Amino acid sequence: MKTRSKLLGLAIIIILSMLIIGFFQVSHSGTTNKKQQRLQKTSVKNQSNALPKHTKLSDWQLLLVNKQQPRTSEISFNKVTVDDKQIDQRIARPLANFRAGAKNAGYDTTLVSAYRSIAYQAEVYNTSLKQNEANGMNKESAKKLTESVIQTPGSSEHQTGLAVDLAGNDALAKYPNLVAQMDTFASQQWLIKHASDYGFVLRYLADSKSIAQTGIDYESWHFRYVGVINAKYMVQHHLTLEAYRDELKKAAQK
Ligand SMILES: [Zn+2]
């Protein structure tokens, strides 16, 4: 009788533990399946995330100027003056909203630079070149040093009137010459994080793939207006303007 009840007890324990293990396995695989389903859903979502419907390569917001595509003549557009600097009139409202948003979040900003004509860019470029030569450099090294910090005339995006150098006041106070580390300030981080809400993107990203595409090192202060829909798409997919235009080009060829 004793042995039987012992055996019965043992059997109950075994059955119970099997049930418990079984339960955990089921519930665990349940969560795994749910996780997988969620992952599948997001990847499906990403795949079906098509390019913005009404965007065209020829849209004024997507005008591309870079080292590979420099311009020899000035671009004509309506200019307005903001803080003694000129911008394309079409981005005046978005820029004002962008800066008002920053101010609401507690960050005052300075518009450091905006539209620059090719002629002005040439002046800045030549002054730097002459300065380097006056410092004893030969022509080649003087040119190299100048071009490491200043765009050759015609290749700067500032001539579009759609690009601005925008800095949090505290970041600018510490780094008046605009350096990448400005992004250690919460003000600059706010600008970078929220730019797309106002139609801007941080134009020159920090990863090597982006730098290879833009030909320009990371700039935590240079924002470019592309319109809200384009900006959101570019940020979501981590695309430079060069890469985004390539995608649009490919889609148009299909
Ligand atoms: Zn700039």
Side-chain angles (χ1 to χ4, degrees):
M1 200 56 187
K2 263 188 184 171
T3 333
R4 255 182 81 182
S5 62
K6 259 188 202 166
L7 275 174
L8 193 65
L10 198 64
I12 289 173
I13 287 169
I14 290 171
I15 290 167
L16 272 178
S17 23
M18 280 170 75
L19 278 176
I20 289 167
I21 291 168
F23 170 76
F24 275 114
Q25 272 176 348
V26 167
S27 71
H28 179 71
S29 67
T31 48
T32 316
N33 279 340
K34 266 182 206 153
K35 257 186 211 162
Q36 277 169 350
Q37 276 169 8
R38 235 180 290 141
L39 281 175
Q40 275 159 5
K41 257 188 202 165
T42 25
S43 67
V44 165
K45 202 173 142 200
N46 284 342
Q47 277 165 11
S48 66
N49 204 334
L51 284 159
K53 250 189 188 165
H54 303 289
T55 295
K56 290 191 300 291
L57 259 183
S58 53
D59 289 345
W60 63 270
Q61 296 98 325
L62 298 181
L63 178 63
L64 180 67
V65 171
N66 60 20
K67 282 177 192 170
Q68 290 76 38
Q69 279 158 276
R71 299 189 61 112
T72 48
S73 58
E74 307 281 1
I75 300 165
S76 132
F77 54 88
N78 290 331
K79 299 176 186 80
V80 288
T81 302
V82 179
D83 296 354
D84 296 332
K85 285 151 198 97
Q86 289 184 306
I87 51 172
D88 186 313
Q89 176 216 307
R90 293 168 290 190
I91 75 160
R93 179 50 47 198
L95 180 63
N97 289 342
F98 187 16
R99 297 180 72 190
K103 198 175 176 60
N104 277 342
Y107 307 116
D108 283 316
T109 56
T110 299
L111 182 61
V112 182
S113 184
Y115 167 69
R116 296 202 289 257
S117 66
I118 298 180
Y120 179 78
Q121 190 73 19
E123 210 179 292
V124 175
Y125 180 90
N126 290 329
T127 305
S128 161
L129 209 60
K130 275 182 201 149
Q131 186 64 52
N132 290 340
E133 281 177 10
N135 288 344
M137 283 184 180
N138 63 34
K139 275 220 160 85
E140 202 185 321
S141 1
K143 187 168 181 271
K144 213 171 177 186
L145 182 62
T146 290
E147 290 182 7
S148 71
V149 285
I150 296 165
Q151 293 297 299
T152 48
S155 69
S156 166
E157 192 175 61
H158 281 280
Q159 68 189 289
T160 63
L162 305 173
V164 293
D165 294 339
L166 188 64
N169 283 1
D170 49 359
L172 188 64
K174 173 130 190 223
Y175 299 112
N177 293 327
L178 304 180
V179 295
Q181 300 94 292
M182 288 168 79
D183 69 4
T184 54
F185 282 81
S187 56
Q188 208 64 26
Q189 286 164 12
W190 191 96
L191 292 172
I192 294 169
K193 188 173 172 203
H194 296 275
S196 65
D197 297 340
Y198 303 92
F200 290 84
V201 288
L202 190 72
R203 178 70 173 88
Y204 304 118
L205 302 170
D207 63 290
S208 53
K209 192 179 158 196
S210 299
I211 291 173
Q213 289 164 0
T214 61
I216 295 185
D217 281 344
Y218 174 52
E219 293 191 355
S220 56
W221 61 88
H222 181 109
F223 295 93
R224 161 63 196 262
Y225 185 79
V226 291
V228 173
I229 290 169
N230 297 321
K232 294 274 178 202
Y233 188 91
M234 288 167 70
V235 168
Q236 193 190 344
H237 298 268
H238 192 75
L239 297 175
T240 59
L241 183 56
E242 283 81 0
Y244 183 46
R245 287 181 52 98
D246 279 348
E247 283 203 2
L248 288 167
K249 223 174 275 177
K250 270 183 221 152
Q253 281 160 1
K254 267 179 201 163

